[in-house]
Amino acid sequence: MTPTTETTVGIGGAGESTDMVLNIGPQHPSTHGVLRLRLVLDGERIRQAEPVIGYMHRGAEKLFEARDYRQIIMLANRHDWLSAFSNELGVVLAVERMLGMEVPPRAVWTRTLLAELNRVLNHLMFLGSYPLELGGITPVFYAFREREVLQNVMEEVSGGRMHYMFNRVGGLKEDLPAGWASRARGAVAAVRSRMDVFDDLVLGNEIFRGRTRGVGILTPAAVHAYGVSGPIARASGVDFDLRRDEPYLAYGELRDTLKVVGRTEGDCLARFECLLEQTHNALDLADACLDRLGDLPPGPINQRLPKVLKAPEGHTYAWTENPLGINGYYLVSKGEKTPYRLKLRSASYNNIQALAELLPGTLVADMVAILGSLFFVVGDIDK
């Protein structure tokens, strides 16, 4: 029998697949906020992705329990700093439901108007910043120009540029200034006349379309599994909008103007298109509200409240269609002047979870395109 010789040859690390763990963040102390992504890479391809949150957490839900029903509006205002008016709105709707309070019609229509103007302000930020994240700097200058026009009228009516603090339990802080409606109408018309910049400059750009079409496809099944909502869910074919399906404020009377924008592709491009088209519709809704306000007879803008406001014992749930998706407010009262518990369900918290499903299998080069297309605010995640 011929003897055999066994030889071991070292071939180094290239002979086996080696995963690399890469941390993206935490940094970016402004704009969308401080997020960390923990990625497991196989070469240029992402195998696993874990969003690591909590770097901005300030315990707002616990602070709600130590503030009265006027003070919690300020706390709820700030988690999504691009949607401050809408954040306030959900809290006061929950308290008013507990009290069984009916808000004057003038306050209802004014709230609807300001909520839609706030929606446009939110969307314009992402319409400008998303191309910026993909290397196109020009659109952000146009976006901020239009935001300034609308922020001027929002500041005039409320006194705040970002954190308006204009909602009150029972209505609004005060009535609209003299001549404000015509100035608001002019601002809406000015912004609408220049919105084609985003159609031409962004959607008409072949590089932008090449970076976003077919990238980061979110299936309807994943939308339901993760509780994704808002423009991101509708871009995947999930046709749900609280303003139409469970109307609140004056949306029930705006059915002819309200258009629920949707797509079926579920990719980054579809999400951007939904955001842009929804911005156009929000401007139309603002005009419709201004028309109705002009037809209303003079009347109160709020209800008179006792010096110490106490909600009756019980619990309720209010939800609103915020610019980034569905916000929910679960309020529990023990009959005191402070909430016993106020649980906030924010849109970005659920939406960002979808990254664990979207990123695996994609290239690192597509990560920023997918991340930006979820249109999140980290304060809305961390609360």
Side-chain angles (χ1 to χ4, degrees), residues 31 33 72-73 86 117 177 179 197 211 215 312 329 333 374:
T31 318
I72 62 173
I73 299 172
S86 302
L117 291 178
V197 166
R211 290 289 307 274
V215 175
Y329 304 83
S333 172
L374 292 187

Side-chain angles (χ1 to χ4, degrees), residues 137-155:
I137 192 172
T138 308
V140 76
F141 295 115
Y142 289 102
F144 270 87
R145 179 185 66 179
E146 311 313 333
R147 277 176 54 84
E148 283 298 312
V149 173
L150 292 178
Q151 276 187 307
N152 287 339
V153 296
M154 292 291 281
E155 182 180 14

Side-chain angles (χ1 to χ4, degrees), residues 146-257:
E146 311 313 333
R147 277 176 54 84
E148 283 298 312
V149 173
L150 292 178
Q151 276 187 307
N152 287 339
V153 296
M154 292 291 281
E155 182 180 14
E156 182 187 355
V157 75
S158 68
R161 287 185 64 79
M162 288 185 68
H163 303 297
Y164 305 109
M165 282 302 298
F166 198 53
N167 277 288
R168 296 293 186 272
V169 176
L172 294 168
K173 176 186 174 186
E174 57 196 9
D175 209 342
L176 303 175
W180 181 87
S182 62
R183 291 188 288 276
R185 194 182 294 278
V188 169
V191 172
R192 181 188 286 109
S193 69
R194 297 193 289 253
M195 284 299 294
D196 60 343
V197 166
F198 298 99
D199 292 297
D200 301 335
L201 191 64
V202 182
L203 286 180
N205 186 291
E206 61 184 46
I207 298 175
F208 179 83
R209 299 183 77 87
R211 290 289 307 274
T212 55
R213 184 190 283 120
V215 175
I217 296 175
L218 184 65
T219 64
V223 167
H224 292 301
Y226 287 95
V228 174
S229 60
I232 301 170
R234 293 190 285 274
S236 296
V238 178
D239 185 21
F240 183 70
D241 190 314
L242 280 175
R243 297 174 297 169
R244 178 199 63 194
D245 300 324
E246 288 196 22
Y248 58 99
L249 294 182
Y251 290 113
E253 300 181 50
L254 291 169
R255 292 184 185 276
D256 294 337
T257 307

